[in-house]
Short mmCIF file of all heavy atoms in Angstrom, two decimals:
data_model
loop_
_atom_site.label_atom_id
_atom_site.label_comp_id
_atom_site.label_asym_id
_atom_site.label_seq_id
_atom_site.Cartn_x
_atom_site.Cartn_y
_atom_site.Cartn_z
N SER A 38 -2.63 20.77 1.31
CA SER A 38 -2.35 20.25 2.65
C SER A 38 -0.85 20.06 2.85
O SER A 38 -0.30 20.37 3.91
CB SER A 38 -3.09 18.93 2.86
OG SER A 38 -4.48 19.08 2.66
N GLN A 44 5.23 24.63 5.18
CA GLN A 44 5.42 26.00 5.69
C GLN A 44 5.77 25.98 7.18
O GLN A 44 6.59 26.78 7.64
CB GLN A 44 4.14 26.82 5.44
CG GLN A 44 3.95 27.19 3.98
CD GLN A 44 2.59 27.81 3.71
OE1 GLN A 44 1.62 27.58 4.45
NE2 GLN A 44 2.49 28.59 2.65
N VAL A 45 5.16 25.07 7.93
CA VAL A 45 5.47 24.96 9.36
C VAL A 45 6.81 24.28 9.57
O VAL A 45 7.66 24.76 10.33
CB VAL A 45 4.35 24.17 10.09
CG1 VAL A 45 4.76 23.88 11.54
CG2 VAL A 45 3.04 24.94 10.05
N LEU A 74 -11.54 7.19 -11.56
CA LEU A 74 -10.45 6.57 -12.28
C LEU A 74 -10.52 6.90 -13.76
O LEU A 74 -11.61 7.13 -14.31
CB LEU A 74 -10.51 5.05 -12.10
CG LEU A 74 -10.43 4.53 -10.66
CD1 LEU A 74 -10.74 3.04 -10.62
CD2 LEU A 74 -9.07 4.81 -10.07
N GLY A 131 -12.57 7.40 -27.03
CA GLY A 131 -11.96 8.39 -26.13
C GLY A 131 -11.09 7.81 -25.04
O GLY A 131 -10.70 8.52 -24.11
N LEU A 279 2.61 -9.53 6.55
CA LEU A 279 2.35 -9.20 5.15
C LEU A 279 1.14 -9.97 4.66
O LEU A 279 0.88 -11.10 5.10
CB LEU A 279 3.56 -9.58 4.28
CG LEU A 279 4.79 -8.68 4.33
CD1 LEU A 279 5.98 -9.41 3.73
CD2 LEU A 279 4.54 -7.38 3.58
N LEU A 309 -22.63 9.87 15.08
CA LEU A 309 -23.50 9.16 16.02
C LEU A 309 -24.90 9.09 15.44
O LEU A 309 -25.40 10.06 14.87
CB LEU A 309 -23.54 9.88 17.37
CG LEU A 309 -22.21 10.19 18.06
CD1 LEU A 309 -22.46 10.73 19.46
CD2 LEU A 309 -21.31 8.97 18.10
N THR A 408 4.94 -20.90 10.64
CA THR A 408 3.95 -21.98 10.64
C THR A 408 3.82 -22.54 12.06
O THR A 408 4.75 -22.47 12.86
CB THR A 408 4.37 -23.11 9.68
OG1 THR A 408 5.67 -23.56 10.05
CG2 THR A 408 4.41 -22.61 8.25
N PHE A 440 0.04 1.30 25.46
CA PHE A 440 1.13 2.27 25.38
C PHE A 440 0.91 3.22 24.21
O PHE A 440 0.51 2.80 23.13
CB PHE A 440 2.45 1.53 25.20
CG PHE A 440 3.63 2.41 24.91
CD1 PHE A 440 4.16 3.23 25.88
CD2 PHE A 440 4.22 2.42 23.64
CE1 PHE A 440 5.26 4.05 25.61
CE2 PHE A 440 5.30 3.22 23.37
CZ PHE A 440 5.83 4.04 24.36
N LEU A 502 20.07 -6.09 -7.34
CA LEU A 502 20.99 -5.02 -6.96
C LEU A 502 21.24 -4.07 -8.12
O LEU A 502 21.27 -2.85 -7.94
CB LEU A 502 22.32 -5.62 -6.48
CG LEU A 502 22.32 -6.26 -5.09
CD1 LEU A 502 23.66 -6.91 -4.80
CD2 LEU A 502 22.00 -5.20 -4.02
N PHE A 525 12.02 -27.67 -9.90
CA PHE A 525 11.17 -28.78 -10.30
C PHE A 525 11.76 -29.44 -11.55
O PHE A 525 12.21 -28.75 -12.47
CB PHE A 525 9.75 -28.30 -10.62
CG PHE A 525 9.11 -27.50 -9.52
CD1 PHE A 525 9.22 -26.11 -9.50
CD2 PHE A 525 8.41 -28.13 -8.51
CE1 PHE A 525 8.63 -25.37 -8.50
CE2 PHE A 525 7.82 -27.40 -7.50
CZ PHE A 525 7.93 -26.02 -7.47
#
Side-chain angles (χ1 to χ4, degrees):
S38 303
Q44 287 171 336
V45 172
L74 301 170
L279 285 164
L309 306 188
T408 56
F440 171 71
L502 285 175
F525 307 92

